[in-house]
Each structure stands twice: as structure tokens, then as C-alpha cells.
Amino acid sequence: MQKLGDFKLPQFFNYPPYFTLQPVRDTREKQVQLWKELILDYCRTQKIFVIGLEEEFPLFSNHLIERSLSNEAREAFLSALVSEGRAEWLDRGHRKCLILWHRIQDWADILLHFVRDNGFEDSVMTVEEIRTGVESRGTELHGIDRTILMRALKLLEHKGKLAIFKGTSADDEGVKFSV
């Protein structure tokens, strides 16, 4: 089985037709489904949150079989993720895509478990501490994209689970948990 670093690639990755958008509807649906699963799985294991269509992305080329996805195929696969709520375009031109390997509600749940598991109920933390602090090391929250984290925090704030307060800069934005 072929690997990309420590990531095991599926068998279809070595099948040249899967690097070309398939014209037959049933075949294309299967192709799109396989690529959606691959993109989400790879991004989750490698902690990748943004894919740029015009940037090098390891999954979009297979040098062993000398195949690469066209921009049309890349956009089709990412658009399929967007239509399922598993990604969002970050720009109108559909050049950068935010990958949601967990939906925002799921990130909010992960955050609540983190708070409860670490005894942070009624505590105050900065947003940066949640993203990069010692407490979050070894958790899915460590290294989380700031945009995703802020959306999960705002969802929890709306539900009355915490309060977000602004500092003098983005580095000192705080969160007061009340779970």
C-alpha cells in the first residue's frame, strides 16, 4: 500500500481514471465520494484546515502513475464537500477552501469535553492558549484553525456556555467558560 508520509493512501489512488473527472454519472458519484472521504481523512490526520486550489496539495498528484487532478476536478471534489457542509469557500473565486473534518457543532462539543476533562469550568483562557497552549497539546484542539475555533466559541457563547471578551489584540482575546 502506498503512503504519503505516515498516511496510508487508498487503492484507488493508483488507478489513473480516478484522476480524471468521469463522464458517466454513477461512476462520477462513486469517484466524488471516494475523493471526499480521502480529503477529509487526510486533512484530519495531517491537521490541514485550508486547501488552496492553485497551491501544491499532496493528494492532488500521484507521481508514481504520473497523474494530477485538473483544477476542474479539484473544484468539483471540494464543492461536493461544501454542499455537504464539510467545507466552505473562503473567497468568491473558489480558490481557497476551509475544510471542516469536524463540523462546527462537533468542534464545539470537543471544546466542551476539553473544558470538562481538564477542570476548566468557570475558568478564563485566551483563544491562543486553547489553540497552542500546553493544556491542549495532544488534543484535536491543538493547532486548530483560528476561524474554526472562533466559530465554535461563538456557537457556545450563543448557547450560554461561555463568554468571549476582546483584548487589545487578537492574541489576548479571552474566553470565560461557564459550563
Side-chain angles (χ1 to χ4, degrees), residues 73-141:
R74 294 173 188 202
E75 188 170 353
F77 300 147
L78 292 174
S79 290
L81 287 170
V82 169
S83 70
E84 290 183 357
R86 300 309 302 263
E88 295 175 4
W89 292 112
L90 292 173
D91 61 336
R92 290 181 190 201
H94 293 190
R95 307 305 339 125
K96 285 198 180 284
C97 195
L98 182 69
I99 305 299
L100 299 170
W101 25 279
H102 290 306
R103 289 180 172 88
I104 298 300
Q105 177 60 56
D106 298 331
W107 279 114
D109 293 341
I110 290 166
L111 188 54
L112 285 178
H113 286 291
F114 168 76
V115 167
R116 289 183 182 123
D117 293 348
N118 291 286
F120 294 136
E121 300 95 333
D122 300 317
S123 295
V124 175
M125 294 180 81
T126 66
V127 171
E128 286 307 304
E129 281 178 312
I130 296 169
R131 292 184 64 232
T132 61
V134 174
E135 296 86 358
S136 69
R137 281 194 193 138
T139 72
E140 286 189 280
L141 291 172

Side-chain angles (χ1 to χ4, degrees), residues 5-167:
D6 61 349
F7 183 79
K8 290 180 184 172
L9 292 162
Q11 288 184 331
F12 84 83
F13 196 75
N14 288 320
Y15 188 56
Y18 273 86
F19 281 84
T20 305
L21 279 175
Q22 296 300 300
V24 176
R25 188 174 60 87
D26 289 346
T27 307
R28 184 182 287 211
E29 286 175 6
K30 173 80 171 155
Q31 177 190 31
V32 168
Q33 185 61 38
L34 288 170
W35 275 100
K36 287 187 311 188
E37 291 167 7
L38 176 59
I39 291 167
L40 289 174
D41 194 31
Y42 183 77
C43 288
R44 185 183 72 254
T45 61
Q46 305 303 307
K47 289 200 164 211
I48 295 170
F49 293 94
V50 177
I51 296 176
L53 273 181
E54 295 164 354
E55 299 166 15
E56 274 299 310
F57 186 67
L59 290 182
F60 293 161
S61 296
N62 184 336
H63 301 291
L64 286 178
I65 59 171
E66 299 178 359
R67 292 287 190 271
S68 292
L69 290 175
S70 66
N71 275 349
E72 179 188 9
R74 294 173 188 202
E75 188 170 353
F77 300 147
L78 292 174
S79 290
L81 287 170
V82 169
S83 70
E84 290 183 357
R86 300 309 302 263
E88 295 175 4
W89 292 112
L90 292 173
D91 61 336
R92 290 181 190 201
H94 293 190
R95 307 305 339 125
K96 285 198 180 284
C97 195
L98 182 69
I99 305 299
L100 299 170
W101 25 279
H102 290 306
R103 289 180 172 88
I104 298 300
Q105 177 60 56
D106 298 331
W107 279 114
D109 293 341
I110 290 166
L111 188 54
L112 285 178
H113 286 291
F114 168 76
V115 167
R116 289 183 182 123
D117 293 348
N118 291 286
F120 294 136
E121 300 95 333
D122 300 317
S123 295
V124 175
M125 294 180 81
T126 66
V127 171
E128 286 307 304
E129 281 178 312
I130 296 169
R131 292 184 64 232
T132 61
V134 174
E135 296 86 358
S136 69
R137 281 194 193 138
T139 72
E140 286 189 280
L141 291 172
H142 197 78
I144 186 174
D145 180 85
R146 185 176 180 80
T147 302
I148 293 172
L149 177 58
M150 291 307 297
R151 291 192 40 214
L153 289 169
K154 286 176 182 164
L155 178 64
L156 291 172
E157 183 178 44
H158 182 72
K159 292 180 174 185
K161 304 284 186 186
L162 57 84
I164 300 171
F165 52 93
K166 301 279 184 206

